[in-house]
């Protein structure tokens, strides 16, 4: 069980943070920021991601004392992030007529095009591909960090990459 | 799948390498810090949430039943469950999940029915709820009481006769049936039965003799065995016993916790006096209780 010591250390951080230890929570924040960022990047435009990251972690900090099982922390945190992204879309639809459309981030045009292609893939593949291609994690790291089995990660990467190649190639942006 | 895609070992896949180099520009290496003003949720529910929960309680079963065949907010093993759907777990426990709301673990040999929104009806069996939605939004109907989550995790079990036991692990739960209510804090439990509704809550770390006295409603034994923190139990008894017994309950109460309330006012169940007694428990201010639909109003 190669990841057991890390998981156990994180559970200890969760226990400390739930008792009000802000430093422990900031450590949890930094350990899991890439994971949460990938969840958000899979769903919302990149120029909203940093704001939403902050929202997700503040919500997690507020609600952490209610989390019963420290080992469930990452799954719980990812759920908060997915929900915050969905809420962001609902807010965006409400504000569509009022708010000006944000411009794409300059200097990242090609990256944004690839990211948009990933966002058009089936949901199951998006987060895994972003963790691999944006955050630079390997398959085993993704399995560990996202609480997925290595087989699931292999399938998501393999099928997701096949679809991504088709999209980018057919789009003439290979 | 290429080894490069799996763990970045050779041979290099040119497409993947080019895309990851391009996308790496979107990485963030910043260190994150909690804003200095980040605060924990208050221990007691916000007044607005309590008011909403009270409204929900008044509307009662009309809101609980749900619209048959509409999707519910719950999923189980990735499947969306439907309002009005009944589940019988038999030998296989199930986990209900709602990303923005919480998790409910439904035990073996348990029958539940899904109501409107996130509400559930527990007909028989056991469930454990871990709720991270705001207080007052999660309601479980049982044959003998309604449980209203006030921001917590708890376990609820109901037997074949409709009698039940609620055990609160964190936060608070309101347990109500008709005009009778109990408020159960973390570490406490409360029984309920179909004829009389919720009983009085008691701390689980109380001596067995005290818990037995609560279960059998043996008032003299409850008064004799109460520790200072068991004043919670005595406070709930004040409104449940006859006027002739109420004075004795209050006399014992004030030996356990210092309180300025007038005996005569407590015996008359005057709201201000009951609030003073509640505040003496040092659990939370009485104000949020008063925002609830108080039986002593």
């Amino acid at each position: 069980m190669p990841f057991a010591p890390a998981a156990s250390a994180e559970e200890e951080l969760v226990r400390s943070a739930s008792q009000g230890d802000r430093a422990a929570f900031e450590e949890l924040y930094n350990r899991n920021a890439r994971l949460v960022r990938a969840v958000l990047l899979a769903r919302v435009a990149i120029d909203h991601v940093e704001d939403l990251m902050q929202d997700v972690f503040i919500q997690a900090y507020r609600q952490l004392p209610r989390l019963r099982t420290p080992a469930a922390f990452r799954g719980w945190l990812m759920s908060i992030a997915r929900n915050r992204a969905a809420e962001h879309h609902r807010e965006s639809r409400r504000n569509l007529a009022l708010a000006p459309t944000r411009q794409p981030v300059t200097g990242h045009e090609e990256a944004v095009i690839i990211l948009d292609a990933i966002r058009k893939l089936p949901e199951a593949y998006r987060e895994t591909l972003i963790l691999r291609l944006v955050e630079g994690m390997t398959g085993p790291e993704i399995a560990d960090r996202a609480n997925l089995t290595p087989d699931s990660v292999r399938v998501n990467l393999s099928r997701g990459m096949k679809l991504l190649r088709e999209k980018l190639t057919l789009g003439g942006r290979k | 799948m290429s080894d490069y895609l799996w763990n970045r070992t050779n041979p290099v896949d040119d497409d993947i390498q080019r895309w990851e180099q391009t996308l790496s520009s979107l990485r963030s290496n910043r260190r994150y810090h909690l804003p200095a003003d980040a605060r924990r949720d208050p221990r007691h529910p916000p007044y607005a949430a309590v008011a909403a929960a009270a409204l929900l309680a008044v509307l009662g079963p009309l809101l609980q039943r749900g619209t048959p065949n509409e999707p519910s907010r719950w999923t189980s093993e990735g499947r969306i469950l439907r309002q009005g759907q009944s589940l019988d777990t038999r030998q296989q426990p199930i986990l209900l999940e709602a990303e923005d709301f919480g998790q409910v673990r439904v035990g073996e040999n348990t029958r539940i029915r899904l109501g409107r929104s996130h509400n559930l009806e527990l007909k028989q069996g056991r469930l454990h709820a871990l709720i991270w939605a705001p207080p007052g939004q999660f309601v479980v109907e049982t044959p003998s009481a309604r449980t209203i989550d006030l921001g917590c995790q708890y376990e609820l079990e109901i037997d074949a006769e409709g009698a039940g036991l609620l055990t609160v692990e964190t936060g608070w739960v309101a347990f109500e049936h008709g005009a009778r209510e109990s408020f159960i804090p973390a570490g406490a439990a409360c029984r309920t039965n179909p004829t009389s509704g919720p009983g009085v809550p008691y701390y689980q770390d109380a001596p067995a003799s005290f818990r037995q006295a609560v279960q059998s409603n043996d008032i003299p034994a409850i008064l004799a065995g109460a520790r200072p923190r068991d004043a919670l139990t005595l406070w709930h008894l004040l409104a449940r016993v006859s006027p002739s017994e109420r004075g004795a309950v209050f006399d014992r109460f004030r030996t356990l916790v210092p309180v300025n309330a007038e005996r005569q006012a407590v015996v008359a169940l005057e709201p201000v006096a009951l609030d003073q007694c509640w505040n003496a428990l040092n659990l939370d201010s009485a104000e949020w209780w008063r925002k609830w639909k108080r039986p002593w109003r």
Side-chain angles (χ1 to χ4, degrees):
Chain A
M1 188 75 182
F3 297 110
S8 174
E10 184 157 297
E11 287 169 28
E12 201 48 52
L13 285 171
V14 172
R15 285 190 193 92
S16 299
S18 70
Q19 289 165 8
D21 183 339
R22 290 173 68 98
F25 190 82
E26 287 187 356
E27 179 60 24
L28 287 171
Y29 199 145
N30 286 300
R31 281 174 175 234
N32 292 287
R34 291 160 73 199
L35 196 59
V36 170
R37 207 163 180 278
V39 170
L40 295 171
L41 274 175
R43 291 166 172 80
V44 303
I46 188 166
D47 49 348
H48 295 286
V49 165
E50 292 301 321
D51 286 348
L52 295 183
M53 287 271 291
Q54 198 75 350
D55 290 353
V56 168
F57 279 101
I58 287 176
Q59 189 178 346
Y61 179 71
R62 286 177 174 155
Q63 297 183 354
L64 189 59
R66 297 183 202 155
L67 181 68
R68 182 193 187 199
T69 312
F73 176 74
R74 280 189 212 154
W76 176 76
L77 185 63
M78 290 172 77
S79 296
I80 292 175
R82 291 181 188 118
N83 182 56
R84 184 65 190 92
E87 190 182 342
H88 169 77
H89 283 298
R90 285 194 293 273
E91 291 165 358
S92 300
R93 279 197 292 274
R94 278 200 300 273
N95 297 334
L96 202 56
L98 302 174
T101 306
R102 292 201 190 191
Q103 297 300 311
V105 177
T106 56
H108 294 311
E109 284 81 2
E110 190 183 357
V112 169
I113 288 166
I114 300 171
L115 196 57
D116 280 347
I118 293 175
R119 286 204 198 98
K120 289 178 180 133
L121 299 179
E123 191 167 332
Y125 307 143
R126 286 184 228 157
E127 289 174 14
T128 312
L129 277 180
I130 288 173
L131 286 167
R132 172 67 186 83
L133 298 176
V134 179
E135 299 298 338
M137 292 185 191
T138 64
E141 282 178 306
I142 296 168
D144 173 47
R145 302 301 298 174
N147 291 337
L148 294 169
T149 64
D151 285 345
S152 295
V153 175
R154 275 184 188 279
V155 168
N156 290 347
L157 283 178
S158 177
R159 292 183 184 167
M161 185 56 69
K162 180 170 182 288
L163 292 173
L164 184 62
R165 276 187 212 274
E166 288 169 7
K167 270 192 187 299
L168 293 177
T169 304
L170 288 174
R173 290 175 183 129
K174 187 179 176 184
Chain B
M1 182 174 67
S2 74
D3 286 345
Y4 188 79
L5 180 58
W6 178 243
N7 57 11
R8 280 204 297 270
T9 53
N10 288 326
V12 171
D13 181 312
D14 291 338
D15 281 345
I16 296 172
Q17 188 180 51
R18 190 171 66 255
W19 293 336
E20 65 183 339
Q21 282 171 353
T22 304
L23 288 170
S24 67
S25 66
L26 302 180
R27 274 181 212 162
S28 171
N29 294 318
R30 59 177 285 199
R31 296 281 297 176
Y32 292 95
H33 299 283
L34 266 183
D37 59 350
R39 293 278 184 274
R40 281 275 151 76
D41 284 352
R43 283 174 61 211
H44 54 80
Y47 294 157
V50 173
L55 179 63
L56 181 65
V58 171
L59 292 176
L62 288 176
L63 289 179
Q64 309 304 314
R65 301 296 294 179
T67 308
N69 297 322
E70 290 290 316
S72 80
R73 303 285 181 84
W74 295 106
T75 64
S76 180
E77 296 181 339
R79 289 178 297 115
I80 297 174
L81 302 173
R82 308 193 77 76
Q83 291 182 28
Q85 184 173 350
S86 292
L87 302 171
D88 186 340
T89 60
R90 300 178 189 276
Q91 302 303 313
Q92 187 64 45
I94 59 171
L95 181 66
L96 306 183
E97 296 177 287
E99 285 185 356
D100 56 343
F101 199 84
Q103 293 179 340
V104 176
R105 192 171 297 281
V106 184
E108 294 175 359
N109 300 313
T110 297
R111 290 186 293 123
I112 62 167
R113 182 179 177 281
L114 281 76
R116 186 184 174 90
S117 185
H118 295 93
N119 298 332
L120 300 177
E121 196 177 330
L122 174 60
K123 296 173 184 292
Q124 185 181 344
R126 178 193 300 250
L127 62 77
H128 180 276
L130 165 58
I131 303 299
W132 50 78
Q137 294 191 3
F138 179 54
V139 175
V140 180
E141 294 283 352
T142 78
S144 56
R146 170 181 299 154
T147 64
I148 302 169
D149 160 74
L150 299 177
C152 65
Q153 51 192 329
Y154 67 85
E155 186 161 286
L156 177 61
E157 57 180 291
I158 296 293
D159 67 18
E161 280 72 46
L165 175 66
L166 172 71
T167 309
V168 180
E169 295 163 16
T170 62
W172 288 81
V173 175
F175 213 6
E176 66 169 35
H177 183 72
R180 177 171 282 197
E181 295 173 301
S182 294
F183 289 80
I184 305 108
C190 187
R191 293 187 178 276
T192 180
N193 75 62
T195 52
S196 56
V200 292
Y202 57 90
Y203 281 107
Q204 291 174 282
D205 64 359
S209 56
F210 181 82
R211 287 182 275 127
Q212 179 57 42
V214 170
Q215 194 168 348
S216 55
N217 200 30
D218 181 345
I219 306 296
I222 293 173
L223 299 185
R227 308 161 301 165
R229 73 186 314 227
D230 298 324
L232 170 77
T233 304
L234 271 54
W235 185 89
H236 280 82
L237 272 183
L238 287 170
R240 313 275 177 99
V241 296
S242 66
S244 60
E245 293 171 309
R246 196 168 297 137
V249 173
F250 176 67
D251 289 342
R252 178 63 175 141
F253 181 94
R254 65 181 170 187
T255 67
L256 300 173
V257 291
V259 60
N260 291 323
E262 294 290 334
R263 187 176 194 274
Q264 190 177 354
V266 173
V267 170
L269 295 180
E270 289 182 11
V272 172
L274 291 174
D275 282 355
Q276 288 172 327
C277 292
W278 175 258
N279 289 344
L281 297 175
N282 257 336
L283 290 168
D284 266 318
S285 154
E287 285 303 308
W288 72 268
W289 296 72
R290 300 291 302 277
K291 298 286 181 184
W292 198 270
K293 115 181 125 58
R294 305 290 346 121
W296 66 87
R297 260 192 171 167

